[in-house]
């Protein structure tokens, strides 16, 4: 089995704001339970077949495909059968793109759990695989200009993604181009751990609560409160998987009391927080 070939970047561990990390490696396919990152993750699959789940939506991936997630987007992956998993990936932390705010906006506009997959034929059609190969070359033998070159390659990839979504993805306009919906969703994504409500969200995006609630429900099929609770529960699941006590998680995720948190958790996860924790621990220790 081929060992790790490259792992290079300027991201500092425990810094959730800045830097990047590029990795190119091969390993035996190992299942990975639900988790979130504090960065954008773009994975280019070179070899392997497996299932990748993002916010409850399942994708079947194989050679050449590209899958991406944004910060706090819950995802997991599993391998139905043993295989060699060869991939390269890029972790992009928010401030890494500060010189190119439009590129950052493109990544953040995508709705959670939607348009995560770029199939292999489009990866090749738009030369994204070749851009990844350029990053491979820069990171294999780092030079003083490597960080800048990776930044420029990253922007190129993001622009290619935007081109694919806008010109080569029929469902794009239905899920990504509504500025009002995105402003509500983005505000919730960034502030869901704080003491916010549907009313304060509407005020923050300069809409009346009645209009914002009606508009958001019409466009997404969810109420603002439901989407807010869903994002909070996603964060709660990650904290529980990290080992935090169930009884201490609710306040950190923006819930005012445990009973409200408990009801929301059962509604969105289908089991109690305690059951989720024990199930996760059993899976972890069984490996």
């Amino acid at each position: 089995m081929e060992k790790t070939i490259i792992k290079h970047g300027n991201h500092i561990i425990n810094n959730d704001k800045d830097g990047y990390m590029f990795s190119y490696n091969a390993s035996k396919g190992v299942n990975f339970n639900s988790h979130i990152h504090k960065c954008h993750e773009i994975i280019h699959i070179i070899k392997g077949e497996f299932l990748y789940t993002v916010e409850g939506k399942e994708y079947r991936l194989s050679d050449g495909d590209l899958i991406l997630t944004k910060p706090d987007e819950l995802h997991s992956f599993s391998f139905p059968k043993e295989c060699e998993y060869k991939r390269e990936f890029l972790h992009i932390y928010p401030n890494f793109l500060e010189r190119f705010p439009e590129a950052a906006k493109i990544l953040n506009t995508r709705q959670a759990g939607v348009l995560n997959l770029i199939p292999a034929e489009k990866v090749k059609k738009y030369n994204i695989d070749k851009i990844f190969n350029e990053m491979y070359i820069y990171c294999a033998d780092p030079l003083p200009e490597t960080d800048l070159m990776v930044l420029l390659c990253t922007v190129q990839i993001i622009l290619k993604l935007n081109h694919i979504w806008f010109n080569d993805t029929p469902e794009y306009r239905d899920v990504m181009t509504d500025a009002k919906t995105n402003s509500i969703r983005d505000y919730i994504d960034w502030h869901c751990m704080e003491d916010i409500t549907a009313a304060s969200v509407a005020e923050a995006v300069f809409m009346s609560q009645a209009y914002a609630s009606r508009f958001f429900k019409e466009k997404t099929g969810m109420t603002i409160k439901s989407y807010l609770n869903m994002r909070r529960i996603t964060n709660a699941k990650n904290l529980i998987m990290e080992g935090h006590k169930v009884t201490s998680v609710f306040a950190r995720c923006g819930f005012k009391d445990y009973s409200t948190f408990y009801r929301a958790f059962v509604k969105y996860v289908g089991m109690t927080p305690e059951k989720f924790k024990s199930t996760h621990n059993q899976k972890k220790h069984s490996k």
Side-chain angles (χ1 to χ4, degrees), residues 55 112 189 222 224-237 255 264 268:
E55 296 290 345
D189 288 351
M222 301 177 66
I224 291 177
K225 181 180 179 181
S226 294
Y227 184 75
L228 173 58
N229 282 340
M230 184 188 76
R231 299 310 299 163
R232 285 172 168 169
I233 293 302
T234 296
N235 289 327
K237 288 172 67 177
F255 290 95
Y268 290 102

Side-chain angles (χ1 to χ4, degrees), residues 1-281:
M1 177 69 66
E2 182 181 1
K3 295 183 179 180
T4 298
I5 298 174
I6 295 176
K7 190 172 185 180
H8 178 77
N10 59 12
H11 170 67
I12 299 173
I13 300 298
N14 297 323
N15 179 357
D16 294 335
K17 298 295 183 183
D18 202 10
Y20 74 93
M21 178 59 66
F22 173 84
S23 179
Y24 180 102
N25 58 69
S27 64
K28 177 182 176 181
V30 178
N31 298 344
F32 212 103
N33 289 333
S34 296
H35 61 288
I36 60 176
H37 298 298
K38 296 298 182 182
C39 59
H40 292 276
E41 180 178 60
I42 303 177
I43 305 175
H44 179 220
I45 295 90
I46 299 169
K47 183 178 181 182
E49 295 185 6
F50 61 104
L51 300 177
Y52 202 97
T53 302
V54 187
E55 296 290 345
K57 184 172 182 179
E58 188 173 84
Y59 300 92
R60 186 175 292 273
L61 304 179
S62 59
D63 300 5
D65 289 340
L66 184 134
I67 191 85
L68 60 152
T69 55
K70 63 181 184 177
D72 295 331
E73 201 167 13
L74 189 69
H75 58 283
S76 63
F77 54 90
S78 60
F79 294 81
K81 60 181 179 180
E82 185 173 322
C83 70
E84 182 183 14
Y85 174 37
K86 189 174 182 180
R87 71 283 190 188
E88 53 192 343
F89 68 79
L90 181 66
H91 283 177
I92 307 166
Y93 290 82
N95 290 350
F96 183 60
L97 292 171
E98 62 184 354
R99 298 190 212 178
F100 300 94
E102 288 302 312
K105 184 178 179 180
I106 290 169
L107 284 182
N108 288 317
T109 298
R110 185 182 56 78
Q111 181 181 344
V114 175
L115 302 179
N116 299 89
L117 171 65
I118 306 296
E121 60 269 22
K122 292 184 181 179
V123 172
K124 281 192 170 296
K125 177 180 177 181
Y126 290 89
N127 296 318
I128 295 177
D129 54 338
K130 292 182 179 179
I131 300 174
F132 259 106
N133 188 58
E134 287 184 42
M135 279 195 286
Y136 174 98
I137 294 170
Y138 293 133
C139 294
D141 187 15
L143 298 169
E145 62 268 25
T146 291
D147 291 347
L148 176 59
M149 299 310 296
V150 171
L151 173 60
L152 296 177
C153 285
T154 300
V155 173
Q156 287 183 65
I157 290 174
I158 295 170
L159 294 177
K160 297 283 188 179
L161 293 174
N162 190 56
H163 196 169
I164 291 170
W165 288 328
F166 194 86
N167 297 302
D168 210 355
T169 308
E171 64 269 33
Y172 173 90
R173 296 184 184 278
D174 292 333
V175 298
M176 293 185 70
T177 58
D178 193 302
K180 291 180 181 178
T181 305
N182 288 333
S183 66
I184 295 172
R185 186 184 294 113
D186 289 347
Y187 184 84
I188 292 174
D189 288 351
W190 283 103
H191 299 279
C192 62
M193 306 284 268
E194 303 170 14
D195 183 17
I196 61 174
T197 63
S200 64
V201 170
E203 182 179 2
V205 296
F206 307 104
M207 301 181 196
S208 70
Q209 183 179 355
Y211 176 76
S213 298
R214 183 174 64 253
F215 184 87
F216 192 78
K217 178 68 180 295
E218 177 185 320
K219 295 294 183 180
T220 68
M222 301 177 66
T223 65
I224 291 177
K225 181 180 179 181
S226 294
Y227 184 75
L228 173 58
N229 282 340
M230 184 188 76
R231 299 310 299 163
R232 285 172 168 169
I233 293 302
T234 296
N235 289 327
K237 288 172 67 177
N238 194 62
L239 289 172
I240 291 172
M241 289 187 291
E242 289 176 357
H244 295 273
K245 292 182 178 179
V246 169
T247 51
S248 68
V249 162
F250 75 93
R252 294 184 60 178
C253 294
F255 290 95
K256 290 187 176 181
D257 57 75
Y258 184 77
S259 61
T260 302
F261 163 72
Y262 184 93
R263 290 194 299 270
F265 197 97
V266 172
K267 177 180 179 180
Y268 290 102
V269 182
M271 64 180 74
T272 67
E274 292 80 6
K275 178 66 174 177
F276 176 79
K277 184 178 181 70
S278 64
T279 301
H280 171 71
N281 288 339

